[in-house]
């Protein structure tokens, strides 16, 4: 079945620095979604990418969908303490149910 | 509030107890899901209901029993659980179609089995 893998599993970032987390699928995806879960919270939908090579921005967050629609990335610039949490990517399987990656857990050093 | 409400928020139960988790969505979605989230583990899909019909049961032990009486409500009945069942149980809903439009998760029920 379809698998979605994320790297790195943990990201420790100095406040103000940039970082990128990556998502890779074993199969071509019709779309890719990103979610954020704050510590003690629940996953919250951030964005969906549909088109090959698509790039979307939300303030300091930049999401990209690969040309082959098998990978995606999330880039955060000027990391802030509010960026702490776990970021999940998810892609629909053949039956259109979402398959979630294991997530990248981000901590920030002030 | 996210539009998906889960109760209770916290639950402590003994291994011989019977309890139920409740989920209600106010978004008009036609699909609802139960996920289990254990510490340092990926989200595990447990059950999927589409148009009130169960369409997925991911090899979940029979001590977990879902119920979906209508498109807005979802229950997870628990009985004779094990300590390893302690986890965050998340309910989600979505509007099923050719493209998923994102899941809306509830705040979850933090379950501790003692």
């Amino acid at each position: 079945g379809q698998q979605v893998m994320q790297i790195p599993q943990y990201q420790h970032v100095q406040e103000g620095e940039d970082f990128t987390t990556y998502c890779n699928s074993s199969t071509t995806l019709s779309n890719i979604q990103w979610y954020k879960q704050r510590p003690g919270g629940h996953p919250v939908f951030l964005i969906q990418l549909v088109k090959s090579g698509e790039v979307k921005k939300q303030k300091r967050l930049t999401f990209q969908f690969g040309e082959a629609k098998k990978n995606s990335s999330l880039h955060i610039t000027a990391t802030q303490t509010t960026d702490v949490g776990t970021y999940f990517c998810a892609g629909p399987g053949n039956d259109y149910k979402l398959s979630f990656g294991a997530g990248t857990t981000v901590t920030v050093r002030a | 509030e996210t539009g998906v409400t889960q109760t209770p928020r916290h639950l402590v139960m003994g291994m011989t107890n019977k309890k139920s988790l409740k989920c209600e969505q106010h978004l008009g979605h036609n699909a609802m899901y139960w996920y289990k989230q254990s510490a340092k583990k990926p989200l595990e899909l447990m059950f999927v209901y589409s148009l009130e019909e169960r369409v997925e049961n991911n090899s979940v032990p029979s001590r977990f029993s879902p119920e979906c009486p209508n498109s807005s409500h979802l229950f997870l009945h628990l009985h004779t659980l094990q300590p390893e069942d302690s986890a965050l149980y998340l309910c989600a809903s979505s509007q099923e179609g050719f493209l998923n439009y994102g899941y809306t998760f509830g705040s979850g029920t933090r379950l501790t089995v003692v």
Side-chain angles (χ1 to χ4, degrees):
Chain A
Q2 181 234 30
Q3 287 187 324
V4 176
M5 292 151 288
Q6 286 186 253
I7 53 171
Q9 186 177 0
Y10 299 98
Q11 183 82 54
H12 308 288
V13 189
Q14 181 70 43
E15 190 174 18
E17 290 185 344
D18 303 352
F19 75 90
T20 304
T21 178
Y22 301 90
C23 178
N24 296 293
S25 170
S26 55
T27 60
T28 301
L29 300 169
S30 60
N31 69 83
I32 188 90
Q33 300 177 19
W34 285 89
Y35 292 77
K36 177 183 179 180
Q37 184 174 17
R38 295 181 184 275
H42 58 276
V44 175
F45 175 75
L46 293 177
I47 206 161
Q48 176 179 263
L49 305 170
V50 178
K51 299 177 183 176
S52 170
E54 186 170 15
V55 178
K56 287 189 177 180
K57 291 191 175 184
Q58 287 181 351
K59 297 184 180 178
R60 295 176 296 101
L61 278 60
T62 301
F63 303 84
Q64 186 165 7
F65 202 7
E67 294 290 340
K69 301 184 78 173
K70 294 182 71 174
N71 59 76
S72 181
S73 64
L74 161 58
H75 181 78
I76 299 183
T77 58
T79 304
Q80 299 177 0
T81 55
T82 52
D83 296 322
V84 164
T86 300
Y87 294 83
F88 297 97
C89 64
N94 290 335
D95 50 4
Y96 306 113
K97 286 182 288 294
L98 284 180
S99 176
F100 282 84
T104 294
T105 298
V106 176
T107 54
V108 179
R109 298 188 300 273
Chain B
E1 287 297 327
T2 69
V4 178
T5 304
Q6 286 187 248
T7 55
R9 292 294 300 273
H10 300 272
L11 179 61
V12 179
M13 60 185 287
M15 289 189 283
T16 59
N17 290 158
K18 287 185 180 181
K19 296 286 183 183
S20 295
L21 309 185
K22 180 183 176 183
C23 177
E24 183 175 359
Q25 61 101 356
H26 314 276
L27 301 168
H29 288 165
N30 60 10
M32 297 185 76
Y33 313 82
W34 279 116
Y35 279 87
K36 177 184 178 183
Q37 188 175 43
S38 305
K40 299 183 180 180
K41 277 189 173 182
L43 284 161
E44 299 174 57
L45 178 63
M46 300 176 72
F47 300 105
V48 179
Y49 276 84
S50 175
L51 299 172
E52 303 160 39
E53 183 179 337
R54 189 192 311 181
V55 295
E56 180 102 2
N57 176 353
N58 268 6
S59 303
V60 179
S62 59
R63 55 185 184 270
F64 295 91
S65 175
E67 179 189 359
C68 186
N70 55 62
S71 60
S72 300
H73 294 85
L74 186 65
F75 295 89
L76 187 62
H77 304 299
L78 317 171
H79 64 97
T80 60
L81 294 192
Q82 304 297 311
E84 59 264 27
D85 296 323
S86 299
L88 179 67
Y89 287 85
L90 291 161
C91 173
S93 71
S94 73
Q95 187 62 27
E96 273 204 344
F98 180 70
L99 292 178
N100 295 100
Y101 292 102
Y103 286 10
T104 301
F105 283 87
S107 300
T109 294
R110 176 70 61 187
L111 174 66
T112 303
V113 181
V114 297

